[in-house]
Amino acid sequence: MNKDLDVKKQLEVKNKEIYHNKLNLDIENNLEVLVLTIDNLLNSIPEMLSLKILEIKESFADKEEINNHIDLFVNSYRDKVKELIDNKEKFLKENKLNASNLEVLRPKLEKNYNEFKDKLEDYSTDLIKILIKSLEKYNLDEFKKQRLNSYLNSIFLPNLNKKILDIVKMRDTILVNTFNETYLKYLEINRNTIGIN
């Protein structure tokens, strides 16, 4: 009889280990897709932004210098996003045990998303000011400076941040669903191997 209890205990420990390993894999896969999706988006920005700025400027003069400033902006933006994703990874690993209780995990995930959003928006607002200041010196009259400022602050940056945040939100939703599936499979394994729910 004791031998059966020992085997059940060992199976229970092994099932829990498998479950935790699967949660780690869920997190890694989710973040990998998040990083790739954001990288793809950011890789498309320099050319599009360069064309728009040159259109506002109504000249191809200084194109190379302008592109250098755009690259600096995109690289700094990318670095900040990576830093925020690293913070998200730490948060997820610290909170993976809540995967079995989505009522606890969802509000924490929402709070994490809001912190991500606030930090990204604050940082990018400062970063776009630097870009604008660096671009204004390339033979722009007051009207063109106003157009550039309006475009970058009112159209480009809000759209970029929204796209990034939509990607993050979607990956959060997918992760919650994946966690739920993983937990249900864990319960099923327990039922099948040790007979408990």
Side-chain angles (χ1 to χ4, degrees):
M1 201 60 130
N2 268 348
K3 195 172 188 177
D4 285 348
L5 281 175
D6 286 347
V7 169
K8 277 189 176 187
K9 278 271 189 233
Q10 288 174 355
L11 285 172
E12 192 175 350
V13 167
K14 193 65 178 165
N15 290 350
K16 193 165 271 202
E17 183 185 323
I18 291 168
Y19 173 61
H20 288 286
N21 289 340
K22 177 66 169 86
L23 290 177
N24 284 330
L25 189 62
D26 292 345
I27 291 169
E28 286 172 27
N29 289 341
N30 188 280
L31 291 173
E32 185 178 326
V33 173
L34 175 64
V35 168
L36 286 172
T37 307
I38 288 173
D39 270 348
N40 287 337
L41 171 64
L42 292 179
N43 288 340
S44 70
I45 296 297
E47 186 178 349
M48 178 276 305
L49 187 54
S50 176
L51 290 172
K52 188 62 183 178
I53 290 168
L54 294 171
E55 178 189 312
I56 291 169
K57 190 174 178 290
E58 297 176 355
S59 164
F60 282 90
D62 308 308
K63 180 181 178 184
E64 192 174 322
E65 292 85 352
I66 287 169
N67 287 345
N68 289 337
H69 291 293
I70 290 169
D71 288 343
L72 280 172
F73 169 85
V74 172
N75 290 335
S76 296
Y77 188 95
R78 185 189 314 268
D79 289 345
K80 185 61 176 183
V81 171
K82 283 183 179 175
E83 175 192 315
L84 294 172
I85 290 172
D86 288 345
N87 293 341
K88 180 177 257 322
E89 181 177 13
K90 287 178 200 152
F91 162 80
L92 290 171
K93 287 187 174 177
E94 288 167 4
N95 285 278
K96 73 180 179 192
L97 297 181
N98 291 320
S100 60
N101 188 348
L102 297 182
E103 287 74 37
V104 172
L105 181 62
R106 277 193 182 104
K108 287 183 175 189
L109 204 51
E110 185 67 28
K111 183 176 183 232
N112 177 265
Y113 168 82
N114 287 329
E115 288 170 3
F116 188 108
K117 178 179 184 282
D118 292 344
K119 287 177 182 171
L120 180 65
E121 288 175 348
D122 288 347
Y123 182 81
S124 62
T125 299
D126 292 339
L127 195 58
I128 205 77
K129 287 177 188 168
I130 295 167
L131 179 62
I132 290 168
K133 193 165 186 65
S134 65
L135 295 174
E136 284 180 341
K137 65 184 174 195
Y138 294 105
N139 299 323
L140 294 176
D141 60 30
E142 281 310 309
F143 176 69
K144 289 176 184 174
K145 283 181 184 178
Q146 201 172 31
R147 278 188 66 203
L148 178 70
N149 197 317
S150 177
Y151 171 73
L152 290 174
N153 276 309
S154 303
I155 298 170
F156 169 73
L157 188 61
N159 285 340
L160 176 59
N161 285 341
K162 183 180 181 331
K163 286 175 185 175
I164 296 291
L165 293 168
D166 285 350
I167 292 167
V168 171
K169 189 66 143 171
M170 180 187 68
R171 295 309 314 168
D172 283 354
T173 301
I174 289 169
L175 186 63
V176 166
N177 292 338
T178 305
F179 275 178
N180 190 42
E181 288 172 23
T182 299
Y183 182 64
L184 293 175
K185 285 178 184 169
Y186 167 67
L187 292 178
E188 184 181 340
I189 288 171
N190 272 344
R191 267 194 309 275
N192 293 338
T193 58
I194 55 179
I196 60 167
N197 292 328

